[in-house]
Amino acid sequence: MSTTERPRILIVGGGYVGLYAARRILKKMRYAEATVTVVDPRSYMTYQPFLPETAAGSISPRNVVVPLRRAVPGAEILTGRVTNIDQDRKVATVSPLVGEAYEVPFDYLVIALGAVSRTFPTPGLAEQGIGMKGVEEAIGLRNHVLEQLDKAESTTDEEIRRKALTFVFVGGGFAGAETIGEVEDLARDAAKFYKNVKREDMRFVLVDAADKVLPEVGPELGTYGRKHLESRGIEVYLKTTMPSCVDGHVVLSNGLEVDANTIVWTAGVKPNPALARFGLPLGPRGHVDTQATLQVQGSDYIWAAGDNAQVPDLVGRKAGNENAWCPPNAQHAMRQAKVLGDNVVSGMRGFPQKEYSHSNKGAVAGLGLHKGVAMIVMGKMKIKLKGRLAWYMHRGYHGLAMPTWNRKIRVIAEWTINMFQKRDITALGALETPREEFYEAAKPAPAPAKAEEKKVEEKAKAS
């Protein structure tokens, strides 16, 4: 038992699983039955399926994040990182944003760190690449793309112009296909307001090592999605990798070489590397190894779920696949979090644990305004949708899945307003360096040159 008067449930991570598990636990708990503490470097949860629309300007950045303190007012929110977990002493070391690290005792532990971008030691990628895991990256991508159009409009150097108008996206899954679809829409609309930049001047390239795009929606819809992107002038190269992108010079394994100022990396995710420091049993790819009850193997007081967990897929195993695991997506993370929350409360009260089992309900993907694909699973029947109807399904599903009514209403209101006005094309690149202009203004003015120095300068110029 910890030193606090009541047991502490420590949740490491404030993403999908962290937020939903905390809400579920607080809902199921009796008053003052336990203290719920959530630790995360950010004080908000990001709804990642909306990041492509944020990059395109269809949704404001603030509306795709949910403040943890508002969403789980009954929990203690600590802004920092858990750097170590001592299971013997049941304490976690928290490193806050400022100040010295300190220890937080716990009685029950939830690991919900999620995933990070899966990268490779590709030369130039760290310096040139842009990820799509956080709202900051979505804002940065939007500003960056619009700034490239400004550069192309303002230069007479054809090489600079060509490089500015070339956009390379690596990864053809949900994140990659949706992002390139939304960004191409943004660039196409923005080009209408430029005199010297046309859509025909731009080059969009989508690269993936796999043999298909959007594998999550099945081969038929994946093929449709690829053809749809190609119909919009996007070059799609499958079974292709990017060995190098030093200084924006992109080299592809199929022999193609292009110069691009924009390289977006969406080639999958991997479990948070911090898991390796916690002394937990890990699977072959670095996920926390859990039982079907979401309890960590060998423990009765630690649970894990979501992208950082290796959770058995009971439905797949009943169908004959003995090595089936739940895929790392939002659909599973949100549902696992509810079962996890129930199990934490049950474990605290000494009741049996419930196993997580969920049949796939399908998948939806937006490929830009009024464009998308959707596969809805109803029992043994699969309904496949394309185009505008699929796009409505995409927005409907994610609009309802967005946490809290506050954010649901804001997102739907923004969509409604955007139906009656043109897309905003303002680039706010200065947001990344907001103090630069003030710093230049506040610097001491250079001292005036003395009269003798002026004469010497004048003589030197005359000679």
Side-chain angles (χ1 to χ4, degrees):
M1 186 69 67
S2 66
T3 56
T4 56
E5 294 182 358
R6 50 188 178 181
R8 183 193 300 275
I9 302 167
L10 179 63
I11 301 176
V12 183
Y16 290 108
V17 173
L19 173 66
Y20 281 97
R23 286 164 65 92
R24 188 74 170 188
I25 291 169
L26 290 167
K27 179 181 179 181
K28 295 290 185 176
M29 272 193 336
R30 293 187 290 265
Y31 176 74
E33 186 176 0
T35 298
V36 177
T37 301
V38 181
V39 183
D40 195 275
R42 295 178 175 86
S43 61
Y44 53 84
M45 172 263 199
T46 303
Y47 191 70
Q48 293 177 354
F50 280 157
L51 292 181
E53 289 200 53
T54 302
S58 298
I59 303 177
S60 299
R62 280 191 178 87
N63 292 338
V64 301
V65 297
V66 179
L68 294 176
R69 289 182 174 85
R70 183 167 184 170
V72 280
E76 176 186 33
I77 308 298
L78 303 179
T79 307
R81 298 180 184 275
V82 172
T83 57
N84 186 54
I85 293 175
D86 189 328
Q87 297 183 45
D88 295 330
R89 297 170 52 221
K90 286 191 175 182
V91 295
T93 303
V94 176
S95 179
L97 295 181
V98 293
E100 298 293 327
Y102 55 87
E103 292 186 339
V104 176
F106 62 84
D107 299 276
Y108 306 96
L109 181 64
V110 175
I111 305 297
L113 282 177
V116 299
S117 295
R118 182 186 62 189
T119 57
F120 303 101
T122 303
L125 179 60
E127 296 78 15
Q128 303 292 324
I130 303 173
M132 275 296 286
K133 284 290 292 178
V135 66
E136 302 86 356
E137 292 171 316
I139 300 170
L141 176 59
R142 170 180 165 77
N143 291 329
H144 175 82
V145 168
L146 292 174
E147 284 175 355
Q148 301 314 302
L149 303 189
D150 291 339
K151 288 180 181 179
E153 176 83 354
S154 308
T155 186
T156 56
D157 189 315
E158 189 57 34
E159 184 177 345
I160 294 176
R161 175 184 168 88
R162 189 183 306 110
K163 189 173 183 179
L165 295 179
T166 300
F167 308 91
V168 177
F169 291 71
V170 182
F174 270 143
E178 289 188 319
T179 302
I180 196 171
E182 292 285 355
V183 170
E184 194 274 339
D185 252 6
L186 167 67
R188 183 184 295 272
D189 286 349
K192 299 173 183 177
F193 299 92
Y194 289 79
K195 292 185 178 180
N196 300 317
V197 175
K198 306 300 179 187
R199 171 60 183 91
E200 293 74 19
D201 302 328
M202 305 177 201
R203 186 176 187 181
F204 283 85
V205 178
L206 177 63
V207 180
D208 198 289
D211 60 353
K212 60 178 73 70
V213 299
L214 291 171
E216 300 90 344
V217 297
E220 181 183 337
L221 291 179
T223 300
Y224 167 82
R226 175 180 59 80
K227 292 181 178 179
H228 168 78
L229 294 175
E230 290 175 336
S231 71
R232 291 161 59 180
I234 298 173
E235 302 171 38
V236 180
Y237 299 106
L238 302 177
K239 298 182 181 179
T240 304
T241 59
M242 183 180 70
S244 175
C245 59
V246 177
D247 295 328
H249 182 69
V250 176
V251 179
L252 301 183
S253 61
N254 63 0
L256 179 67
E257 296 187 23
V258 297
D259 290 320
N261 281 345
T262 307
I263 302 171
V264 183
W265 184 269
T266 60
V269 296
K270 64 181 179 181
N272 196 308
L275 296 171
R277 302 195 299 266
F278 293 169
L280 301 169
L282 303 180
R285 293 179 296 169
H287 300 81
V288 180
D289 191 12
T290 73
Q291 305 172 47
T293 59
L294 305 175
Q295 287 176 302
V296 173
Q297 293 285 1
S299 174
D300 60 356
Y301 66 93
I302 306 177
W303 291 261
D307 293 358
N308 69 181
Q310 180 179 273
V311 180
D313 180 2
L314 297 184
V315 175
R317 296 190 178 194
K318 288 179 181 178
N321 185 357
E322 296 181 358
N323 295 316
W325 305 97
C326 295
N329 57 37
Q331 183 180 148
H332 279 288
M334 288 187 288
R335 288 168 171 79
Q336 287 172 3
K338 295 179 181 179
V339 175
L340 186 151
D342 291 344
N343 283 349
V344 170
V345 175
S346 296
M348 186 169 54
R349 297 173 181 171
F351 295 155
Q353 299 283 292
K354 176 184 177 182
E355 292 185 335
Y356 172 75
S357 179
H358 172 67
S359 299
N360 180 29
K361 301 300 182 185
V364 292
L367 299 174
L369 201 61
H370 305 147
K371 299 173 280 286
V373 292
M375 180 182 67
I376 312 302
V377 179
M378 301 179 66
K380 295 183 179 181
M381 182 173 60
K382 293 183 179 179
I383 302 174
K384 300 173 183 178
L385 304 174
K386 307 171 185 177
R388 186 182 288 262
L389 185 56
W391 178 76
Y392 285 134
M393 291 294 297
H394 164 76
R395 282 202 161 181
Y397 172 79
H398 287 298
L400 292 175
M402 183 73 190
T404 76
W405 280 104
N406 177 287
R407 286 303 189 265
K408 292 183 203 290
I409 293 171
R410 287 175 180 268
V411 168
I412 293 172
E414 195 162 18
W415 283 338
T416 304
I417 292 171
N418 289 341
M419 290 172 58
F420 303 100
Q421 60 183 15
K422 294 182 179 179
R423 190 194 300 266
D424 182 72
I425 60 167
T426 306
L428 298 175
L431 286 173
E432 299 173 17
T433 54
R435 295 190 63 254
E436 184 174 0
E437 186 173 343
F438 180 81
Y439 175 75
E440 292 294 330
K443 283 196 305 186
K450 297 179 180 179
E452 293 80 3
E453 294 175 348
K454 287 184 178 180
K455 290 180 181 179
V456 172
E457 292 177 359
E458 290 174 358
K459 289 180 181 180
K461 290 179 180 180
S463 61

